Amino acid sequence: MTAAASARDRVRLGRSIASRLAASTEAPAAFVAGSSVVGLGSATSDIDVYLVGSPAEEKRQQMFADTIRVDVQHVRLDTLESLVDRVLGTDLRSDHAGRTLSDREIALTVRLFTGDIATDSGALAALRKRLDEHPLRLSRLVMNAWILAAFFAAEDCLGLQRSDDPNDLDAAALAGRRGLVCAGKALAAAGGDLYFGEKWVWRQLARSGPDGFPFADFQRLLRDDPLAVDPQAGLTALTSFAQTCLIATATLGWHGVEVSHWPAWLAGSGPLRRSPTFFPRAYDDTVTLVEPAGRHFRLTPDVALVWGLSHRLSAQTVTEHALGLSKEAPAFAALTEKRCWRITTESREAGLLTEQGGQWGAM
């Protein structure tokens, strides 16, 4: 049996189990979720069955169908209704006003949105329709969760990288790798692949990653030993690539622009260099650049875009890329050649950009 057929068989089995359990527990709705449902499962992946609105109290139980583990969760319908209300009503603001959702709640919403409905009285379809009518709300929550996870991992990597204890370099490598994995998850979410499981990032990027994304470099950075030759350079390579994935997500992906439009995944040979110690966080009202244990800048999306594009390119090339992207979303529409020049100048003065040799590229 092929892997694809096995995945299909698992989904069919899950639907059958969900339907039988829904009937026996008087649950008006049931759906199947998990990695196999979204085409990511392996031969040992379990099946997740959600019984919605059953008289039983909310609980989780396990059973086995032959050798396949089945996780059964009883969920109240009003729990899912409240969750969808909160997803659609949550503003991701830089002042952190309002209630936030936990990763567990976001993951459950993703499962509701992407799951396979086995039986339904109409309630599940209605909830999914509401989510589908506002696609950026859920995808932004997923992007935000992975952007934050990547930031904290990069923060650990940078701190451990500066430690006087040589043993801390191994911990720095671990943190740097996780930062890049989480940045890859954020990028996958920007491409519409919302599945929350971290271990599937490689397959998600392979199938949903942006056109032109250097997937082989992503793989190599996570496979190679960053400490083998030059530990500082090796660790910086991890955080630098993570930084690129994050800024593409926090600008293009955040505003619903296909991340395939990002023009510079790998560093060029030009003079403009964005600071390697700042990492973006995206919000509905702004983009922030945060230096771990350091400075904090609030930027409009177009300013953040120009900063992110300054990945060892000339000022002229950055301007050309930015003007091309200015047509993709209203958030970037104010970009002009003069504004791009002013942004690079002010970013350099603020320490967000450096320039090799102190010479500006020709405009």
Side-chain angles (χ1 to χ4, degrees), residues 148-162 172 175-176 179 239 277 279 281 290-294:
L148 287 177
F151 169 79
F152 290 127
E155 180 180 51
D156 286 341
C157 181
L158 291 174
L160 291 161
Q161 192 175 347
R162 298 166 183 160
T239 54
T277 60
F279 292 86
R281 297 186 188 179
V290 183
E291 187 177 37

Side-chain angles (χ1 to χ4, degrees), residues 304-323:
L305 179 68
V306 172
W307 174 81
L309 290 170
S310 301
H311 194 26
R312 300 193 178 190
L313 300 177
S314 69
Q316 179 64 42
T317 301
V318 169
T319 298
E320 290 171 357
H321 288 329
L323 293 181

Side-chain angles (χ1 to χ4, degrees), residues 25-180:
T25 60
E26 300 180 2
F31 66 95
V32 183
S35 56
S36 295
V37 173
V38 294
L40 295 170
S42 70
T44 59
S45 294
D46 58 6
I47 298 171
D48 297 287
V49 171
Y50 289 83
L51 302 177
V52 182
S54 67
E57 63 180 8
E58 293 199 335
K59 63 180 180 179
R60 178 176 178 176
Q61 60 188 113
Q62 284 190 356
M63 59 179 63
F64 283 85
D66 293 327
T67 60
I68 300 174
R69 190 180 72 206
V70 182
D71 284 334
V72 181
Q73 300 189 51
H74 298 258
V75 184
R76 292 169 56 93
L77 177 59
D78 58 5
T79 296
L80 295 181
E81 291 173 336
S82 174
L83 194 55
V84 171
D85 286 342
R86 291 173 60 202
V87 166
L88 297 180
T90 296
D91 292 324
L92 291 166
R93 295 181 50 82
S94 56
D95 58 8
H96 306 294
R99 296 182 62 187
T100 59
L101 282 85
S102 68
D103 287 355
R104 185 175 180 179
E105 291 171 320
I106 297 170
L108 176 55
T109 311
V110 170
R111 290 187 165 218
L112 168 65
F113 185 58
T114 61
D116 191 316
I117 296 177
T119 182
D120 187 19
S121 61
L124 294 183
L127 290 175
R128 285 165 59 136
K129 184 175 184 293
R130 290 182 62 200
L131 291 170
D132 195 47
E133 289 172 346
H134 305 278
L136 270 181
R137 296 317 308 163
L138 180 56
S139 62
R140 280 182 173 180
L141 286 171
V142 177
M143 283 186 273
N144 179 66
W146 291 112
I147 287 171
L148 287 177
F151 169 79
F152 290 127
E155 180 180 51
D156 286 341
C157 181
L158 291 174
L160 291 161
Q161 192 175 347
R162 298 166 183 160
S163 172
D164 294 329
D165 187 339
N167 291 321
D168 285 344
L169 288 178
D170 291 294
L174 179 65
R177 284 192 177 102
R178 182 160 198 276
L180 182 53

Side-chain angles (χ1 to χ4, degrees), residues 143 186-192 205 208-213 244-265 325:
M143 283 186 273
L187 190 63
L205 287 175
S208 307
D211 295 339
F213 179 72
T244 298
C245 295
L246 293 174
I247 193 62
T249 299
T251 52
L252 300 191
W254 196 262
H255 291 281
V257 179
E258 290 188 12
V259 280
S260 294
H261 290 298
W262 189 260
W265 295 105
L325 292 169

Side-chain angles (χ1 to χ4, degrees), residues 177 180 216-224 226 234 237-238 241:
R177 284 192 177 102
L180 182 53
D217 292 271
F218 180 82
Q219 290 177 305
R220 176 184 55 78
L221 284 169
L222 290 171
R223 289 172 177 173
D224 290 353
L238 285 169
F241 199 7

